[in-house]
Amino acid sequence: MRLDAVHLIKATRHALAECESVEEIVAESWQVQALVGAIGRLLAASGPQSVRADARGLSEAGQQARHSSVGPGLRDGGTREVRADRLSQIQDPKCALSDLSGLLAETGVALVLVAVSAREEGVYWQCIEAIDAADESGECVAAILRRLEAQEHGPAA
């Protein structure tokens, strides 16, 4: 089933909230990055002209994180679907990006909590890399939202 960005963000937020283990939280953080990449690609291809360049940067940020050596993006050793592959449209870019910004913040908080309690060095560094990816993506989202706001309000008088 193909879905709108806002619905996928909600599904991902719910999945993150349902995580019960460190591994699930880390894997879900890479699902978030896959969604970042998918939203960026779609906005770059068919979003408002004024945000397409920034959207390419968002896509690249999500793709880089998704293909990271420690970012599987999937639970169960890679056998589970990447939720972002079901993205078919972005009906309201501003709403979707606002929701995505919130999801990235929630992901960052979850990862920080895991990192500070990590008993294994490998898990700690996975969390740090995922936190960095979420931060970079969040900055890209904020830039696109600022551009949409500026476009909405027009040039200052």
PDB file of all heavy atoms in Angstrom, residues 46 55 84-85 106:
ATOM      1  N   SER A  46       9.294  16.693  -7.230  1.00  0.00           N
ATOM      2  CA  SER A  46       7.976  17.263  -7.523  1.00  0.00           C
ATOM      3  C   SER A  46       7.473  18.265  -6.497  1.00  0.00           C
ATOM      4  O   SER A  46       6.315  18.657  -6.548  1.00  0.00           O
ATOM      5  CB  SER A  46       6.958  16.127  -7.667  1.00  0.00           C
ATOM      6  OG  SER A  46       6.869  15.388  -6.459  1.00  0.00           O
ATOM      7  N   ALA A  55      15.909  20.153  -0.938  1.00  0.00           N
ATOM      8  CA  ALA A  55      15.346  18.803  -0.834  1.00  0.00           C
ATOM      9  C   ALA A  55      16.353  17.754  -1.315  1.00  0.00           C
ATOM     10  O   ALA A  55      16.412  16.651  -0.764  1.00  0.00           O
ATOM     11  CB  ALA A  55      14.046  18.698  -1.614  1.00  0.00           C
ATOM     12  N   ALA A  84       9.724   3.417   4.344  1.00  0.00           N
ATOM     13  CA  ALA A  84       9.765   4.579   3.447  1.00  0.00           C
ATOM     14  C   ALA A  84       9.507   4.210   1.996  1.00  0.00           C
ATOM     15  O   ALA A  84       9.116   5.065   1.203  1.00  0.00           O
ATOM     16  CB  ALA A  84      11.113   5.272   3.575  1.00  0.00           C
ATOM     17  N   ASP A  85       9.717   2.952   1.635  1.00  0.00           N
ATOM     18  CA  ASP A  85       9.481   2.527   0.254  1.00  0.00           C
ATOM     19  C   ASP A  85       8.010   2.650  -0.146  1.00  0.00           C
ATOM     20  O   ASP A  85       7.691   2.597  -1.329  1.00  0.00           O
ATOM     21  CB  ASP A  85       9.959   1.088   0.038  1.00  0.00           C
ATOM     22  CG  ASP A  85      11.473   0.978   0.085  1.00  0.00           C
ATOM     23  OD1 ASP A  85      12.160   2.020  -0.024  1.00  0.00           O
ATOM     24  OD2 ASP A  85      11.969  -0.155   0.243  1.00  0.00           O
ATOM     25  N   GLU A 106      12.443  13.388  18.307  1.00  0.00           N
ATOM     26  CA  GLU A 106      12.108  12.238  19.162  1.00  0.00           C
ATOM     27  C   GLU A 106      13.126  11.115  18.987  1.00  0.00           C
ATOM     28  O   GLU A 106      13.514  10.458  19.957  1.00  0.00           O
ATOM     29  CB  GLU A 106      10.712  11.726  18.835  1.00  0.00           C
ATOM     30  CG  GLU A 106       9.610  12.669  19.250  1.00  0.00           C
ATOM     31  CD  GLU A 106       8.244  12.265  18.695  1.00  0.00           C
ATOM     32  OE1 GLU A 106       8.047  11.079  18.365  1.00  0.00           O
ATOM     33  OE2 GLU A 106       7.385  13.156  18.596  1.00  0.00           O
TER      34      GLU A 106
END
